Structures are given as C-alpha cells and as structure tokens.
Amino acid sequence: MSQDNQFKEVNESYTLPEAVREAQRCLHCKVPACKKGCPISNDIPDWIAELAKGNFGNAMHIINNRSNLPAVCGRVCGHERQCEGNCVLARKGEHINIGKLERFVADFDSDAGLTHEAIPEKSRGRVAVIGSGPAGLTIAGDLARKGFAVEIFEMESEPGGVLMYGIPEYRLPKEVVRREIKKIENLGVMFHLNTTVGEQLTVDDLFKRGFDAIFMGTGTGVPKRLNISGNNHPAVRQAIRYLRRVSLYESGLIDRSEVIVGNGDRVFVIGCGNTAIDAARTAIRMGSSEVTVVYHRTVDQMKALRSEYEDAVNEGVKFLWNTSITNIEALDGEHLRSVTVETEGEPPRIVPADHVVMAVGSAPAARIVSTTTGIEVDDKGYVLTRDNPYGMSTRKGVFAGGDVSNRPATVVHAMRDAKQVAEGIERYVDAIKLLAAIDH
Ligand code: SF4
C-alpha cells in the first residue's frame, strides 16, 4: 500500500450515470423488504425511485425525513445484514447497492448545495445535548427540525464523537463527517466544543442555565481490559485510543512519534468486532510489518462485518481463530518481546511481538453521573432509562440514548434509539411547558 494514499477512502463512489442505472434496477416492491431491514425504516424504494428519475433533491428530502447522517450511513452501515441483505434481489446475489446509492445522493447534495432546509423557529423549549456522536447528532437534528433550541456540549475540539475519532479515514473521511455536521449546524444547532460536562460544568449547571431537558449521548469511552499477565506494559494499547491517536495524527494535531504502533512492528489485535478490524487495518496503514487478529471463537461468531473482514484479509491482516493470548512478555521501553499464543487443541507457543492492541469492548465513563445526583446506572455503568417518556433516566428531565444506555451497538442502532428518545424529549418538554402555562 502506497504511503501517500494509506488513508484514502477505499470504496469508490458511483458516477451520476452509474447511480441512475443502479437505481433503475430497483423493483419498487410493494412490501419493501429493504426498508424492513433498515433499523431507522428509511423509505428506501421511494428515494431510489426519485433517484432513478434524476430527481436528486427529492431523493435527499425523503432520506432526510429518517436520517440526519446519510453520507455516514451510506458508508459505514452494516448493509449486508440490513437493507441490502434483505433486498429481494439478494436471493439471486444481485441486491441493489443501497448504501452506495445513499452515499451518492448525500454527497451529490452536499457538492451541489441542492437542499436548503428552512430553519424552524425555536419556540418549543431548550435542550442540551452532551456528546456529538451519532446519537447526539440525531437528537439535535430531529429536535431542531421540530422547533427546539438545541445546544451541543462536546469535550473534543471537533464534533462527531466516534464518527470523527473512532472510524478510520479510509472508511469514513473526516470531510464527510464535517459536511454532515455542517448541515445539522445549519438547522440552528449551537456547538460548545472543548467543553466536558462532568468537569467544566455539571448537569445541575445546565439546568441552572435554563435548559428544559438534557440528553446524554456520551457513548462508551472507557475501554475494557482482559486480565492477561503483562497487559500493563505501555506497548499494550487500547484500540479506541489507538484509533483516536491516528485520527489526531491525520488531522495534523499530533506528531507521528505520538502514534507508537506501526513502522515495521509485529502487532497482535485481540477481539474481532469492527473496532478490532479497524485497528488492524489502521496498523497496516501505519506501516506495521505483520498484523494478526486473535479471536477466541470462530470466523462465523465474529461480530465484525464479513465485508470488513474480507477487506482486512486482502490488505494482509492475518487471523487466528479459537485462539487466545495468555501472556505478554515485555522489554523495557515501548516494545514487547513476545506473546504466548494458545490455539484450541494445540500446545502454547511463544511468538515475537512488538505491540498488542486490545479491542474487547468498552463501557460508559462515570464523569456525568458522579458529579450530580439522581441518575441511576446498572452494575456496569449503563444509564437506566424508562419507556415513558422514552429514554428518560431516573432523574426528571435527563434523558440518555445510544451506547451509554443500550450498550455498544452500530452507528445506525444508536441513531434508531436516539430518534425514539427525541420523541420522548419532545413529549416531556411539551408537557412541562403546558403545566407551567396552566399554573400561571
Ligand atoms: Fe428495491 Fe430491493 Fe427494496 Fe425491492 S427490496 S424495493 S428491489 S431495494
């Protein structure tokens, strides 16, 4: 892989004629299985029909009714398990390439500046959103369109959360994320960056500032650690932190020397979800000489998408199934000496290694709930929420959604949950406003 193009997006876009031709293959099924397979019930045949006629603006409008992040979903959704996997043409192996079409519509719209949504009057109440990942952005977009004044509080210097700092550039270019966020900003959403709720200010401070409701979309930022002897060595990295560092390096915010995995290293990645694959493919791009994913189950049990796995194999990542790392032997300094690898039914073997990257899941940080009162969490730190109004925590007016309450899931599943929470917040704020009006 050329070093110049190491983080270039790997999947090509459709040209305009290709997109229209692909859209024209759609059968516009009366009972569309594709839509059923979409977690946010995107009106897929409707916008594909508009695209097939060349009505790109109409296609964008229909998509916007269900999604605030189509250029993102078009790239990183698990289409093979959702819309495309359900498409009736999939039985013949000829499913419509829905993700690529959605991406085309969103990119075409951004490039041409086609749709200009009117900014609705902000008269229904004020909502603070903590975190600007997929859940926070979805809430913000949905509520801004419904006439709420929304302000986002984000700890990083750029909004986007996992979209900006967790998913590598070659799968989701940062420029794409920035353009999607710009569209949400254009709805009148205000962003407060470099602002950590739970450190610089608390949930109570936000209520004092006059917000009617607060949404926690803070995700799961604390990586889990396997209990392996030697795992405290600095050469054992956490995948989400490694990916974040590489993102910062690509954005020119930190030096190459601060991203220690790469440059001829032999790297072992533990885990086999999408984050593990992202870390492995990123390690290859950073110049590692050998990258091996170690997973204690089989290929059919991995959480990663098959397409991501296949791309990783094609790029040279090796996989060891039914295998665990049981010991990490360290050298002084930033490198390891070796790891002990145990594959089911085989004797343990000691293999030279420079780094281990752990990608075995993550849990919510306690920063917000520990600096206020009344927000209960379960024994793993996930915020407890109720169904009525949907998404409200045990503290009145504080809502939670996405990974921080539902455990880590995909971008689109966080969005689905956030859409429901947006409805819960809408109902709650309308109700308290009504009660306040009656009291006066
Ligand atoms: Fe078109 Fe496939 Fe959806 Fe049918 S299931 S409407 S063919 S995308």
Side-chain angles (χ1 to χ4, degrees):
M1 190 174 301
S2 139
Q3 291 288 304
D4 294 342
N5 283 334
Q6 58 186 354
F7 283 99
K8 191 173 167 283
E9 190 169 21
V10 282
N11 294 315
E12 298 283 314
S13 294
Y14 277 137
T15 61
L16 193 149
E18 282 169 350
V20 171
R21 253 199 316 275
E22 178 66 4
Q24 286 170 344
R25 282 205 308 123
C26 173
L27 306 174
H28 309 296
C29 307
K30 279 218 166 63
V31 183
C34 53
K35 180 174 174 177
K36 246 177 142 178
C38 172
I40 54 169
S41 301
N42 201 319
D43 294 310
I44 294 163
D46 295 355
W47 61 258
I48 290 186
E50 293 298 328
L51 177 54
K53 288 185 267 180
N55 297 333
F56 306 119
N58 290 355
M60 188 75 257
H61 272 301
I62 297 169
I63 293 174
N64 277 344
N65 287 336
R66 299 299 309 161
S67 174
N68 291 298
L69 302 167
V72 171
C73 286
R75 288 173 165 84
V76 304
C77 258
H79 305 110
E80 67 192 46
R81 290 179 185 162
Q82 299 168 8
C83 54
E84 293 176 4
N86 277 271
C87 171
V88 285
L89 297 173
R91 281 176 229 146
K92 290 199 276 174
E94 293 169 359
H95 66 75
I96 301 295
N97 286 305
I98 301 165
K100 223 168 149 181
L101 288 181
E102 184 180 29
R103 165 182 165 172
F104 173 82
V105 173
D107 289 354
F108 189 86
D109 178 74
S110 296
D111 292 343
L114 276 186
T115 50
H116 296 283
E117 288 189 67
I119 299 185
E121 198 191 330
K122 306 283 187 277
S123 56
R124 289 179 67 184
R126 292 181 63 206
V127 179
V129 171
I130 310 172
S132 60
L137 292 173
T138 296
I139 291 268
D142 279 13
L143 290 179
R145 282 197 181 91
K146 288 175 175 171
F148 289 87
V150 182
E151 295 180 35
I152 294 186
F153 295 82
E154 167 58 50
M155 63 193 281
E156 298 281 1
S157 57
E158 266 205 87
V162 70
L163 306 176
M164 188 58 80
Y165 295 103
I167 302 178
E169 177 81 13
Y170 63 84
R171 277 217 292 142
L172 180 61
K174 299 199 176 7
E175 260 333 290
V176 171
V177 180
R178 289 188 185 112
R179 290 201 309 195
E180 294 283 69
I181 291 172
K182 188 78 199 144
K183 289 184 180 179
I184 292 171
E185 204 178 351
N186 288 345
L187 295 169
V189 173
M190 194 187 287
F191 288 81
H192 303 273
L193 303 174
N194 298 308
T195 307
T196 307
V197 178
E199 285 177 13
Q200 284 129 300
L201 74 172
T202 64
V203 159
D204 305 276
D205 295 330
L206 291 174
F207 278 127
K208 278 185 214 144
R209 288 189 187 185
F211 287 103
D212 300 299
I214 296 169
F215 172 72
M216 288 173 63
T218 39
T220 51
V222 181
K224 291 184 189 158
R225 204 165 249 281
L226 285 185
N227 199 10
I228 302 170
S229 153
N231 73 359
N232 284 325
H233 191 274
V236 179
R237 313 299 281 189
Q238 284 290 352
I240 55 175
R241 296 203 174 125
Y242 174 55
L243 292 170
R244 180 175 179 278
R245 283 206 155 245
V246 175
S247 280
L248 293 172
Y249 161 63
E250 283 159 21
S251 304
L253 296 172
I254 63 171
D255 191 69
R256 173 68 183 85
S257 61
E258 294 175 74
V259 184
I260 67 162
V261 182
N263 283 350
D265 290 335
R266 295 152 301 183
V267 181
F268 283 85
V269 178
I270 303 178
C272 204
N274 286 322
T275 303
I277 305 277
D278 283 347
R281 296 176 70 190
T282 297
I284 290 264
R285 283 167 173 74
M286 293 301 285
S288 303
S289 64
E290 231 176 84
V291 179
T292 308
V293 171
V294 175
Y295 186 49
H296 65 289
R297 296 198 175 113
T298 65
V299 61
D300 295 324
Q301 292 168 302
M302 70 180 172
K303 288 203 184 130
L305 290 170
R306 182 58 80 149
S307 53
E308 292 298 318
Y309 158 69
E310 283 165 4
D311 284 349
V313 171
N314 289 336
E315 288 170 9
V317 177
K318 297 192 175 73
F319 287 79
L320 291 174
W321 308 110
N322 295 317
T323 299
S324 303
I325 287 180
T326 53
N327 185 47
I328 298 169
E329 200 192 343
L331 287 176
D332 285 341
E334 287 190 336
H335 288 252
L336 303 173
R337 183 193 302 277
S338 62
V339 291
T340 304
V341 173
E342 288 194 34
T343 302
E344 239 173 70
E346 292 176 20
R349 55 192 197 282
I350 294 173
V351 186
D354 296 293
H355 291 281
V356 167
V357 178
M358 280 203 196
V360 292
S362 51
R367 200 182 306 115
I368 294 174
V369 296
S370 65
T371 52
T372 189
T373 53
I375 305 172
E376 283 177 27
V377 296
D378 70 8
D379 57 347
K380 303 252 169 18
Y382 293 93
V383 177
L384 299 173
T385 59
R386 55 200 220 187
D387 288 341
N388 195 9
Y390 188 87
M392 190 150 94
S393 71
T394 47
R395 169 130 179 215
K396 214 173 134 203
V398 178
F399 291 72
D403 292 2
V404 74
S405 58
N406 289 321
R407 295 170 195 278
T410 61
V411 167
V412 73
H413 286 95
M415 286 169 59
R416 175 177 65 184
D417 186 52
K419 290 190 91 59
Q420 275 182 275
V421 181
E423 285 171 16
I425 294 176
E426 185 184 3
R427 286 186 42 218
Y428 170 77
V429 176
D430 283 351
I432 57 167
K433 296 275 178 202
L434 188 64
L435 283 176
I438 292 168
D439 284 349
H440 280 87

